[in-house]
Amino acid sequence: MQPHPQPPFLSDLVTETTGAVAAIHVSPEGLVTGTSPGIARDEADKWAALMAALGSVSGRSVGIAGDLTSGGYPWGHSVVEDRYGQTLILVGAPDQSMLAVVGAKDADLGEIVGRMIELADQGLPAPVAV
């Protein structure tokens, strides 16, 4: 089975950002549109399902906590940390797509989130047919 497309913006995000291990972009429909190198197709599809679930929980949580959303984003960003200190960072884009990055234990979360938001604000590439 062929891997999902590996657009340069995801490869660059991982190679040029301190502590970023892997990245994935998912369309508003929850379909994988691209990954950084090294993510198998089956793994990427599992990420997409997880991202859809976390995006839904994050979006509903904001709605429950109050009207904190702005600028058309479904939600800003979420960070989940495992017991070993690795993180999963999700950022929602204005087009309703999602970008996720796995960060190493020593990752600079501010740098990663900043780069992710910058990418989302610039407009992530249109989904590719796979």
Side-chain angles (χ1 to χ4, degrees), residues 10-109:
L10 291 176
S11 298
D12 293 347
L13 179 60
V14 171
T15 58
E16 297 173 5
T17 309
T18 307
V21 175
I24 185 170
H25 181 234
V26 175
S27 74
E29 299 78 28
L31 303 173
V32 177
T33 59
T35 69
S36 60
I39 301 176
R41 189 176 190 95
D42 289 347
E43 282 300 308
D45 292 337
K46 289 177 190 175
W47 276 47
L50 173 66
M51 290 167 69
L54 289 173
S56 177
V57 168
S58 294
R60 292 186 191 281
S61 298
V62 168
I64 291 168
D67 187 19
L68 304 176
T69 58
S70 65
Y73 285 81
W75 42 279
H77 61 272
S78 297
V79 178
V80 179
E81 183 177 352
D82 72 11
R83 63 182 168 178
Y84 304 108
Q86 274 199 158
T87 52
L88 173 64
I89 304 116
L90 293 102
V91 169
D95 68 355
Q96 308 295 308
S97 68
M98 291 180 279
L99 183 60
V101 170
V102 171
K105 183 177 181 176
D106 59 348
D108 181 337
L109 295 182

